[in-house]
Amino acid sequence: MASPQSPSRLSAPIDLPRVRELFARPARIAPSDFLRREIAERMHERLSLVKIVPRQVLDAGCGAGADLGLLQKTYPAAQILGLDGAGAMARAARGPVAQGGALNQLLTRLMPAKAGVDVLCGDYGNLPFGPNSLDLLWSNLALHWHPLPDRVFAEWRRVLRVEGLLMFSCFGPDTFTELRAAFAALDAYPHTLPFVDMHDFGDQLVAAGFSTPVMDMERITVTYDTPQALLADVRALGGNPLESRRRGLIGRAAWQRLLDALEAQRRPDGKLGLTFEVIYGHAFRPAPRTTASGESIVRFQPRKP
């Protein structure tokens, strides 16, 4: 497990304050929510195959909170927590929670756990929870915004209880292939994130102390009528938070070269395509094998009659 001082094996020069700035206006992000909702549904299909009864559930990187209702409907007796690093997003997520305040109060009285939904602002790579606090950690399209995903996995393992479940999605390296090819005609600056490969995520999960990680991937292609519409969705998905990004506005001639490069990629059906490689992962926090002093733990299971 990586310590705060040890170098990360896989990282990207992501400017976290820039990430919070890019997500500071929920209305700017909202047009791309169709993709998050589609991926959330696909994550939920996978989650339905895992039989758990969680008491505390965290949506790490909850954005405007659209997944909170899905999780509450799935686990009505659980306390559902939403956390986002952008204050404006956390405030947007609290709106539906406040509207459902009476329901939250009723669930709190009827259920043994503190049922309902709570939202807070914070860093999902440095969670404000103690060890062994959560039964399920859900994260939809948030992990790729952090420069040190291996540190994030270690933190997520810390807050999960034994046999707690992690389920997440994020973009993989084949995301935005068309856009990267078009920008290559413009300059040599990185205009998209260097998304991490699925197999590297699996290795990071094991290194962080998770057991039996399951990783899979699919490609989703969204089509557009114009380059402008494609670029608008890319901006709505977040933008470019890399410290090595190009600074300043792109000139009119350079912008036209970018549009022309995208136009050259039109498909036989006349549409422009934009590829998203979506990575899905889930893993459990296993029971410890050693004590705090390093002594091995041996478990004896009673023989079945």
Side-chain angles (χ1 to χ4, degrees):
M1 187 180 302
S3 70
Q5 291 78 29
S6 63
S8 174
R9 188 169 60 85
L10 282 173
S11 60
I14 294 175
D15 183 350
L16 283 177
R18 174 65 175 167
V19 172
R20 289 190 286 271
E21 180 183 334
L22 290 170
F23 284 88
R25 290 187 290 133
R28 175 183 177 273
I29 303 300
S32 66
D33 202 48
F34 72 94
L35 186 60
R36 295 184 185 85
R37 302 283 56 74
E38 177 64 28
I39 293 172
E41 289 294 334
R42 298 184 187 200
M43 286 178 66
H44 190 258
E45 290 176 3
R46 290 165 168 79
L47 181 60
S48 66
L49 301 176
V50 183
K51 303 305 179 185
I52 59 172
V53 184
R55 291 170 289 168
Q56 278 82 30
V57 178
L58 173 66
D59 181 354
C62 68
D67 291 3
L68 297 175
L70 178 66
L71 292 168
Q72 186 181 36
K73 182 178 179 181
T74 306
Y75 305 112
Q79 180 187 21
I80 311 297
L81 300 164
L83 179 141
D84 200 90
M89 282 294 183
R91 288 191 293 273
R94 290 189 188 110
V97 174
Q99 295 172 14
L103 176 59
N104 281 345
Q105 293 175 14
L106 177 62
L107 288 171
T108 300
R109 290 196 300 268
L110 295 180
M111 299 296 183
K114 186 187 179 301
V117 179
D118 297 293
V119 180
L120 59 156
C121 182
D123 179 2
Y124 62 70
N126 185 21
L127 292 170
F129 307 114
N132 310 306
S133 301
L134 307 169
D135 302 293
L136 169 62
L137 197 155
W138 162 288
S139 185
N140 180 15
L141 294 185
L143 183 62
H144 50 257
W145 294 108
H146 200 283
L148 302 170
D150 54 343
R151 308 280 175 81
V152 175
F153 284 143
E155 175 69 354
W156 288 357
R157 180 191 179 278
R158 180 186 69 82
V159 299
L160 279 171
R161 296 188 176 104
V162 171
E163 302 301 334
L165 172 66
L166 165 65
M167 177 161 285
F168 70 95
S169 67
C170 60
F171 289 145
D174 284 345
T175 300
F176 297 158
T177 52
E178 301 87 351
L179 186 63
R180 281 198 294 272
F183 269 116
L186 183 64
D187 58 40
Y189 286 96
H191 291 269
T192 66
L193 293 173
F195 301 108
V196 178
D197 183 78
M198 173 180 70
H199 301 96
D200 291 320
F201 275 138
D203 292 342
Q204 289 183 1
L205 285 167
V206 172
F210 284 95
S211 66
T212 59
V214 176
M215 308 294 302
D216 65 308
M217 176 273 290
E218 63 180 341
R219 290 182 178 86
I220 298 175
T221 300
V222 180
T223 58
Y224 301 87
D225 292 327
T226 67
Q228 291 84 354
L230 182 153
L231 291 167
D233 264 6
V234 171
R235 287 191 292 270
L237 281 163
N240 184 1
L242 292 174
E243 294 175 352
S244 53
R245 68 188 182 276
R246 174 174 175 158
R247 308 301 174 98
L249 297 175
I250 296 175
R252 183 176 299 177
W255 182 253
Q256 188 58 53
R257 289 201 304 274
L258 174 63
L259 297 180
D260 292 343
L262 287 170
E263 283 285 358
Q265 299 180 30
R266 282 200 180 270
R267 298 150 34 117
D269 62 2
K271 299 285 188 177
L272 295 172
L274 185 62
T275 299
F276 298 89
E277 179 185 336
V278 184
I279 293 172
Y280 304 93
H282 74 263
F284 291 89
R285 176 178 176 173
R289 296 182 178 180
T290 60
T291 65
S293 60
E295 297 173 329
S296 297
I297 298 174
V298 180
R299 290 180 171 82
F300 295 95
Q301 298 293 337
R303 181 177 298 176
K304 294 182 180 180

